[in-house]
Amino acid sequence: MATCTLWQEIPEELVHEVLLAVRDSDKRLYRVVVELTSRRLGIRQAKLLEMAKTERHQLSRRVLSLPQSEEISSHLFSRWLVQTRAPMLCDWLDALGIPHDQQGVVEEFPEEPASEKLRAALEGLLVRYPALDVAIYLRLFNEIEDVGWKGLEEILSGDDRLRIRRREVSEIRG
């Protein structure tokens, strides 16, 4: 699943959360989003920056949803996950026995673990974290060049709890 498609599937509140987290942790990357949105929609950057953040982020959502925005979209979700969801990332990697740093960043990935081990690690995450966060992370995780595990792909495509579709925040956050 391309990360650019996630923007239309996640709730508005999560779009805003992701972009705020990036703005707070990586001003340069956030500036790229503003420039891209401005250029693509024909709005002056100053005008865009004068808008309420929620309105600006919904305009950015439209641009980030385009296939041409795949690379930046991937960076945005990755940054958000590392900055705000590191415990979840670490729990997944620990369950699979994959060495990582304190933010869940891995230097080298092993061969694909057994399906049972993947399922057990997934169940552990779903007990502790919102299903939408888990689904986003595992999709991005499986897109990493050295990963692309077939067993994980089967789990992601076959488990209804991991379907990414626009839902109400109350349904997502429990």
Side-chain angles (χ1 to χ4, degrees):
M1 169 183 263
T3 58
C4 64
T5 63
L6 292 174
W7 295 104
Q8 288 303 318
E9 298 300 319
I10 62 175
E12 291 180 18
E13 293 84 353
L14 188 54
V15 170
H16 187 58
E17 178 185 326
V18 169
L19 292 174
L20 278 180
V22 170
R23 185 200 67 177
D24 292 345
S25 66
D26 190 338
K27 302 242 185 278
R28 187 178 312 180
L29 181 56
Y30 187 77
R31 178 58 91 180
V32 171
V33 171
V34 170
E35 290 171 7
L36 182 65
T37 302
S38 169
R39 187 174 54 244
R40 186 74 180 172
L41 298 179
I43 301 170
R44 289 182 307 113
Q45 283 185 42
K47 177 85 170 152
L48 192 60
L49 290 169
E50 289 172 3
M51 293 178 182
K53 288 180 203 86
T54 53
E55 183 181 0
R56 179 184 335 140
H57 293 164
Q58 289 311 306
L59 290 173
S60 295
R61 169 191 222 167
R62 290 175 37 201
V63 173
L64 293 169
S65 297
L66 300 171
Q68 305 91 305
S69 300
E70 178 59 25
E71 186 175 343
I72 190 169
S73 183
S74 179
H75 287 303
L76 291 166
F77 278 112
S78 295
R79 185 73 177 176
W80 167 71
L81 284 165
V82 168
Q83 292 299 313
T84 67
R85 304 299 194 268
M88 179 178 67
L89 281 59
C90 292
D91 285 350
W92 168 254
L93 298 168
D94 288 344
L96 296 176
I98 301 173
H100 58 84
D101 69 10
Q102 295 128 331
Q103 291 186 300
V105 177
V106 175
E107 292 293 322
E108 190 174 322
F109 292 94
E111 293 293 317
E112 181 172 0
S115 181
E116 300 78 35
K117 193 169 189 175
L118 289 171
R119 288 186 190 286
L122 167 66
E123 293 304 325
L125 289 186
L126 289 173
V127 166
R128 291 185 297 269
Y129 303 101
L132 180 59
D133 292 0
V134 172
I136 290 170
Y137 170 55
L138 293 182
R139 278 180 169 64
L140 266 67
F141 177 86
N142 213 36
E143 294 293 321
I144 295 171
E145 188 175 325
D146 295 338
V147 180
W149 297 337
K150 292 186 188 316
L152 182 54
E153 182 58 40
E154 289 173 12
I155 291 169
L156 290 169
S157 62
D159 192 324
D160 282 341
R161 299 171 298 175
L162 301 175
R163 295 230 188 282
I164 298 177
R165 61 191 184 285
R166 194 174 282 198
R167 298 179 260 183
E168 297 299 318
V169 170
S170 59
E171 178 185 349
I172 295 163
R173 300 288 179 202

